[in-house]
């Protein structure tokens, strides 16, 4: 029993220490990791330290001693550590499952609603934050970097030294379906509203396959169904 309690305690402590982005470090990953950028033309930019800013979904990289924002008009995909991210509409989406005709993607962003209802010291209330745009502007997201305390020529080592000193940023994740060149939210409603779909057959497909809208492998079946 004592050993079991120790295991439970250790697991709880590990969960409690899970990485969370902060306003001084508004990044998806706890560290900038070595990766490769595939450009729109197919060329590879290898060996860079990369991360993704959750304030705007853009790809950042280290150039010399500075943090720089990638030109999202040129980025096609990026491999960062063990994961691949694809650029859709100027934002980087994590590839959860790749299928023959598309992919299941995940997008991580600032949870504006949680930020507004939680007293985290930003001085922003839901009554004054009428939109995501105004709320993000209130956080100081006005620089070309799109980061909280990250300016256009921020020095990497200085930002790294201060990354644990800021306030925690609430975040949320959403799953998306990439079918050919079309993106849609991973939901039953959006699935049944897909252009040209036979709704009766689609409902039958969902029932027969017991589709779980929060399970990437289940959603992969949806991607392939829509790509028929």
């Amino acid at each position: 029993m004592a050993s079991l309690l120790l295991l439970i305690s250790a697991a709880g402590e590990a969960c409690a220490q899970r990485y969370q982005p902060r306003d001084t470090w508004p990044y998806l990953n706890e560290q900038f990791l070595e990766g490769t950028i595939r450009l729109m033309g197919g060329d590879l930019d290898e060996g860079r330290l990369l991360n993704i800013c959750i304030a705007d979904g853009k790809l950042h990289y280290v150039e010399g001693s500075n943090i720089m924002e990638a030109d999202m008009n040129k980025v096609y995909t990026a491999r960062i550590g063990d994961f691949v991210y694809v650029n859709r509409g100027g934002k980087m989406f994590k590839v959860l499952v790749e299928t023959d005709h598309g992919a299941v993607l995940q997008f991580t962003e600032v949870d504006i609603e949680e930020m507004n209802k939680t007293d985290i010291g930003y001085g922003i209330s839901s009554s004054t934050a009428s939109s995501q745009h105004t709320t993000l502007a209130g956080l100081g997201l006005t620089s070309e970097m799109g980061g909280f305390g990250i300016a256009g020529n921020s020095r990497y080592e200085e930002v790294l030294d201060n990354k644990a000193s800021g306030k925690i940023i609430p975040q949320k994740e959403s799953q998306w379906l990439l079918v050919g060149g079309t993106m849609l939210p991973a939901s039953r409603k959006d699935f049944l509203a897909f252009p040209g779909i036979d709704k009766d057959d689609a409902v039958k497909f969902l029932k027969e396959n017991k589709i779980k809208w929060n399970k990437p492998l289940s959603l992969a079946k949806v991607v392939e169904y829509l790509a028929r």
Side-chain angles (χ1 to χ4, degrees):
M1 178 65 72
S3 297
L4 178 59
L5 290 175
L6 283 173
L7 287 173
I8 294 174
S9 176
E13 185 176 347
C15 290
Q17 295 177 352
R18 186 172 67 90
Y19 164 68
Q20 293 177 291
R22 296 175 180 267
D23 59 355
T24 52
W25 188 264
Y27 289 110
L28 184 63
N29 298 311
E30 189 171 6
Q31 304 287 345
F32 273 68
L33 301 173
E34 185 171 327
T36 299
I37 304 172
R38 181 177 293 278
L39 303 176
M40 289 295 185
D43 292 338
L44 297 180
D45 189 352
E46 301 179 289
R48 289 193 181 275
L49 292 177
L50 306 173
N51 214 329
I52 294 170
C53 180
I54 68 166
D56 55 15
K58 294 184 178 180
L59 180 68
H60 288 190
Y61 63 94
V62 177
E63 179 71 45
S65 60
N66 294 330
I67 295 175
M68 307 295 290
E69 181 182 287
D71 183 347
M72 299 304 291
N73 291 318
K74 296 181 179 179
V75 174
Y76 180 50
T77 62
R79 177 176 288 278
I80 305 175
D82 296 328
F83 295 98
V84 173
Y85 301 82
V86 59
N87 178 14
R88 301 298 299 177
K91 299 179 179 182
M92 301 301 289
F93 290 73
K94 179 189 285 188
V95 178
L96 299 181
V97 181
E98 187 173 5
T99 73
D100 290 338
H101 299 95
V104 179
L105 309 177
Q106 178 177 283
F107 185 64
T108 303
E109 60 188 320
V110 177
D111 189 335
I112 301 300
E113 287 188 20
E114 188 65 27
M115 182 176 290
N116 287 336
K117 69 183 181 183
T118 305
D119 182 11
I120 54 176
Y122 290 108
I124 301 170
S125 66
S126 57
S127 61
T128 58
S130 58
S131 68
Q132 176 168 327
H133 174 75
T134 56
T135 303
L136 292 181
L139 289 173
L141 303 185
T142 54
S143 74
E144 63 183 29
M145 292 296 287
F148 286 67
I150 311 299
N153 291 313
S154 289
R155 296 183 66 82
Y156 175 58
E157 293 299 333
E158 292 176 4
V159 175
L160 189 63
D161 289 342
N162 295 321
K163 76 173 189 175
S165 63
K167 300 179 180 67
I168 292 174
I169 303 169
Q171 56 186 316
K172 63 179 179 180
E173 297 174 346
S174 55
Q175 294 190 46
W176 295 75
L177 308 179
L178 177 61
V179 184
T182 302
M183 285 272 289
L184 68 151
S187 73
R188 188 177 192 276
K189 177 182 177 181
D190 290 281
F191 167 69
L192 293 176
F194 194 77
I197 198 170
D198 182 326
K199 289 189 177 180
D200 290 336
D201 187 69
V203 170
K204 180 182 177 183
F205 160 78
L206 295 179
K207 184 177 181 179
E208 289 180 346
N209 289 273
K210 300 179 180 179
I211 296 301
K212 306 295 184 184
W213 294 100
N214 61 342
K215 302 293 184 181
L217 290 177
S218 187
L219 293 176
K221 298 178 182 178
V222 179
V223 171
E224 289 303 291
Y225 176 86
L226 292 174
R228 297 186 309 174

